Amino acid sequence: MGDMTNSDFYSKNQRNESSHGGEFGCTMEELRSLMELRGTEAVVKIKETYGDTEAICRRLKTSPVEGLPGTAPDLEKRKQIFGQNFIPPKKPKTFLQLVWEALQDVTLIILEIAAIISLGLSFYHPPGENNEGCATAQGGAEDEGEAEAGWIEGAAILLSVICVVLVTAFNDWSKEKQFRGLQSRIEQEQKFTVVRAGQVVQIPVAEIVVGDIAQVKYGDLLPADGLFIQGNDLKIDESSLTGESDQVRKSVDKDPMLLSGTHVMEGSGRMVVTAVGVNSQTGIIFTLLGAGGEEEEKKDKKAKQQDGAAAMEMQPLKSAEGGDADDKKKANMHKKEKSVLQGKLTKLAVQIGKAGLVMSAITVIILVLYFTVDTFVVNKKPWLPECTPVYVQYFVKFFIIGVTVLVVAVPEGLPLAVTISLAYSVKKMMKDNNLVRHLDACETMGNATAICSDKTGTLTTNRMTVVQAYVGDVHYKEIPDPSSINAKTMELLVNAIAINSAYTTKILPPEKEGALPRQVGNKTECGLLGFVLDLKQDYEPVRTQMPEEKLYKVYTFNSVRKSMSTVIKLPDESFRMYSKGASEIVLKKCCKILSGAGEPRVFRPRDRDEMVKKVIEPMACDGLRTICVAYRDFPSSPEPDWDNENDILNDLTCICVVGIEDPVRPEVPEAIRKCQRAGITVRMVTGDNINTARAIAIKCGIIHPGEDFLCLEGKEFNRRIRNEKGEIEQERIDKIWPKLRVLARSSPTDKHTLVKGIIDSTHTEQRQVVAVTGDGTNDGPALKKADVGFAMGIAGTDVAKEASDIILTDDNFSSIVKAVMWGRNVYDSISKFLQFQLTVNVVAVIVAFTGACITQDSPLKAVQMLWVNLIMDTFASLALATEPPTETLLLRKPYGRNKPLISRTMMKNILGHAVYQLTLIFTLLFVGEKMFQIDSGRNAPLHSPPSEHYTIIFNTFVMMQLFNEINARKIHGERNVFDGIFRNPIFCTIVLGTFAIQIVIVQFGGKPFSCSPLQLDQWMWCIFIGLGELVWGQVIATIPTSRLKFLKEAGRLTQKEEIPEEELNEDVEEIDHAERELRRGQILWFRGLNRIQTQIEVVNTFKSGASFQGALRRQSSVTSQSQDVANLSSPSRVSLSNALSSPTSLPPAAAGHSRREGVP
C-alpha cells in the first residue's frame, strides 16, 4: 500500500474518476449493504466476498498497523467517493414560520379581529347620514374630517400587533441561531483517536474517512461504522440501535461489526472505518427521520418519540439535527419534572391570566350595560335600524377596551424574559468554562442544595504520581534508588507495568521548556509509567518487543473487576499473566510475594492483615491511592480455561504496592467553602479506598475535624439502606444522607442510588435539588438522574457527556460555583422582571377598568397599552434579564422548590408602587384638566381628536414605569438601586432608548397613538412625577417587611402539588391544550397562556420537563427523632480527630470494616 507514490496515486485518480469507487476495491453501496448484516451472517459474507478483514483493508488501501497515509488529496478523494462523516442538519424554521407561530397567540388574534371589525365599520356609512340622533349619549357629533380618521385606530392596533409579532419571532429566531451555534461547538469538541501514517492522532469526528484505522476503548461512542480488526475483550452496548440491553461481545471471527452510535462498555481494540455520515447505520436512520420534508413532519414526530433513544445516542455523528429536535426528546427522556422556575412561572401566569380575564369580562359587561341603559332606558331612544352600525361601532370599541385590559394583564413578557435571561447566561457561562447543553440546567443550578462530586480529576488535578512504594519487603517513603531493588524484581516490575497497561497510554516530553511531562491516556497508568521512568528504566523497548497484536489475552479494567490483567506467551510456550488493581482487591488474590532477594515467598492472610495495617492504611491516610502489581505463571499444557476468570485471577505473586498521589487542585478548597457558605452541601463519591477518600475530603474542606458526619464504604452504605429482602428503603436512606459526606469504594449503582435517594427524600421541608459531576461511562445513570449533571470536558467519556446537562470545559470544580452564581442570577433576573411587570399590570388593569367604568372610555387607549406592553415586556425583559451576577449572590441560602417566586418584599414593592402610581393617575384623570388648565378629555365622542389631558396621563404613566424600572433592579430591599448600573450597558441603553421613543410618540404620534403634542412645562411635570418613583422607592424600603404579615406571596410550588398530567404532555402536539380545557370553560385563558407555552417551548432546551415522577414518589414516614439519636452512636462513625491523630485508632468495628471490605 505504501509503495504507490503520491503523484502516481494522483494520476491514477484522474483516470478512474469515471468509475466511481473503481479506485478502491469496493464501492460505497457494497460496504453499506455489508454493514447491514449482523454477527455470523456478516462473517460469512466477508469470507465469501473479500476473504477476511485484512483483504478489506487492502481494498480500501489502508494498513491495519500504519493506518492511512493521511495526505490531503487522498483524504479528499475518500470524502468524495464515500461521503463525509457528518449528517446535514435539518433546516431551521424560517423567519416567516416563526412569525406565523407568533401570530397563533390568542390575545393577538382577538385584537386582530377587533381591529378588523373596527376598520370595517369606520368605512361603512349607513344610509341617511343623520345618525346624530343615534348616540347622543356620548356628547356632540363628530366633524366630517374626524369621521374620516375612524380607520386609524384599527390600523394602529394592527400595526402594533405586527410589531409584537416581529419582536417575538426575531427573538425566537436568534435563539434558534444561538442554539445551533452552541450545538456546533459541542460537536467540534468531539474528537476521536485514529492511526495515520503510523502515528496515533486525535482528529475531529467529522474528519474521519472510510479506510481510517480507529482506536476504540472503554467509554467511547463510536463515530462511524467499521469492522473490528484486532483488540481484546471488546464489549459493546448496542441498545441505542437494537434496543437489546445485553452487551455484545465483539471478535474478528464471530461478530466483527462495530456500528456508529453504540457505546464501548469494556475493552479496547482497532477498527477499520467502512461507512461514515449518511451511509452509516445511524445516518441511515437519521435520513429516514428527516426525509421527505413536510408531509413527513407528522410521522416524524411519532417516529421521534419512539426513536428517541436511538436518535439521541447518535448525536456525536456530527449532526446539528441532533440539536433541536433531539434535544427535545432527549430532555423528555430523562428529565422528569418541569424545572423549578418553569413550574412556578406557569402557575403564576395562570393566576394572573385568570384575574385578567375576569377583569376584562367585567369591563366589557359594565360598558355595554351602561351604554344600553343610558341610551335606551334613560334617554328612551328607540333602536333605529339605520343606527345599528353606530351602535355596533360602540360595542366594538367597548370590546377593544376589554381586550386591551386582557392584553395588559397577561404578562407575555415572562417567557421572553426567561428566554433572554437564559440565553444571555448561557453565552456568558461559556466564558466561565460551562458549556450548557440544556438551557434550564443553568437556572436549576441556582437552586442546587447538594453537589455529589467525583474525586479524581474534579477535586484533584488528575496528574498521578507515585510517591511511595513497598518493594522487596521495604516500605520506601519516596521513590527508591534503582540500585536498592533486586534486578529480577526490577525486570518483572517494568514488564508488568509496561505490558499490562493500554498501549495508548504514554508519557510524552513536555510541550514547553520547564513544564511537566505530558500524560496521555489513563492517568493512573501514566503514574505507574512515570514510576518506571523515575526508576531510570524505559518502558518503550518492552512494548516494542511485545507489540499489542501479540498480547494473548487481556482482561480489561471495569468497575466490577477493579483490576486489569494481560496474558502473554513466553518464548518457552508457557504463559505469564500480569495483573494490577486496587491493592485490597489484588492482595486478596495473592498467595506469594517477592522478597528482597527477588524470590517468591508464601504470603498468608496473616501477613496480608499485617501489610494492610503497616503499609496500605498509612499510605491511604496520606491521601494516596494504593495500587498492587502482581503476576502469575501458567504452564503451556494443558492450556488454562481463560474464560473462567475466578480461577485465572487467583494465586498471584505480589511484585509491589505503590502509593499514587493525586494532588488536590489549589482552587478547590476555596470553591467548596463558597458552596458551603451558599448553603450547598458538597459530598464526595469515589471509587477510592475510604482512608484515601477521607484524607482528601479533609484537604478539600468537605469535612472538618470534630464535626458530626459519616464516611461510608459502598458495602456498608448498601447494608444500611436495604431491608432484609435486600430492597432499598427510602426511610433508611433518609437516616443516612443528611450526614453522609464521603462515599468510598462506591459502584456506579451506589452513586445512582444515593442521588435518587436524596432527590426522592421528604426528610427535609424542601425537596433537595442535586447536582452531580461525573466523567466515566459508569456515571451515566447518576448524571441522568440528577437535576443537573456536570460532565468533564477533558477527562469525560462521550457517554458521560451525552448524559450531562452542562459540560465543564476545564474539568474544574470551581466552575461549578460559577454555574451556581449564574443560576441564582437567572432566578433573580426573573424576579426583578416580575416585580416590575406586575406593578405595570396592576396599575394598567385598574386604570383601564375604573376609567372605563366611570368615564366610558379607557384613559389608556388600545394602541398606547400595546406600546406600554411592548416596553414593559420586551424591553424591560431585555434590560433586567441581562444584569451580570455578583459575588453577593453566593451569600444566601438556595431558594428551594417551595420558596415563592414573589417574596413578601417584592409584594410590598409591587403594591407600594402601584398605590403611588394609581393615586397620581386618578388625580390627573379627574382634576388634571384644572391643574394644567386644559380641556377635559373625559366623555369624548366616538372619533374625537386626542386630548392633551389624556396624553399627559399616558406620558406620566410611561415616565413612572421608566423610573420604576430602576427601582426594580433590586429585589431584596436594598437601598442603593443605582448600584452597578453602569456594569450593565444594555440596561442604560434601553432606558434611554425608551425615553427617546416616548418623546417621538407623544410629540408626533398624533391620531394613531391618540396623543397630542405637549408643552415643555407639561413634560417637566410628567418627568417630575416619574422621578417621584425613586423617592417613593426609598420610603417603601423603610417599611419593615416583617410587619406586613397580611401580604400574600405568589408563585409558590408546594412539594405535594403535582402538575396535572395533561400539562406535561405539551410536547405531544397531537393533543391541543385548548381542546382539553374547553370542557372547563376556560378556553380563552388557556389560549392566552398558549403564547407563554409556545414561547417557553421555543426554549425547548430550557423546557426539560415531561412527566412528573412526583406521583411515583413514595411518601416516606418522617423518621422519628429517637431513631436518629440511636443512629448517632453507631460504631462506624469515626470521629475525625481520632482518625487524624493516629490512623490505627479506629474503633475496632470500623477498622474491621475497612479491612474486610473488598470491592463494593
Side-chain angles (χ1 to χ4, degrees), residues 867-979:
W867 159 240
V868 167
N869 219 16
L870 193 75
I871 57 170
M872 299 326 153
D873 283 1
T874 313
F875 295 153
S877 58
L878 254 174
L880 292 167
T882 51
E883 291 269 320
T886 54
E887 283 282 332
T888 45
L889 288 167
L890 291 175
L891 297 178
R892 59 173 175 76
K893 297 277 175 272
Y895 278 155
R897 288 195 163 249
N898 19 10
K899 162 102 171 47
L901 204 53
I902 300 175
S903 60
R904 276 224 173 94
T905 318
M906 287 167 62
M907 210 53 154
K908 177 184 75 177
N909 291 346
I910 291 172
L911 296 178
H913 288 295
V915 168
Y916 173 82
Q917 296 183 10
L918 286 170
T919 318
L920 282 166
I921 285 179
F922 284 134
T923 314
L924 287 176
L925 180 59
F926 295 113
V927 290
E929 69 270 27
K930 300 193 187 64
M931 290 159 52
F932 289 105
Q933 278 94 43
I934 44 177
D935 300 335
S936 162
R938 298 194 298 279
N939 299 335
L942 195 54
H943 292 304
S944 54
S947 65
E948 278 189 353
H949 182 189
Y950 274 15
T951 309
I952 290 180
I953 294 179
F954 166 59
N955 201 17
T956 311
F957 180 68
V958 173
M959 287 303 126
M960 291 197 286
Q961 299 325 325
L962 272 182
F963 287 104
N964 193 29
E965 194 162 342
I966 298 175
N967 277 330
R969 292 184 65 244
K970 298 288 177 235
I971 49 174
H972 299 299
E974 295 92 331
R975 288 252 169 219
N976 180 5
V977 287
F978 292 102
D979 176 35

Side-chain angles (χ1 to χ4, degrees), residues 22 743 761 792 951 1030 1059 1104:
L743 183 57
S761 169
M792 301 295 137
T951 309
L1030 293 175
I1059 297 169
S1104 288

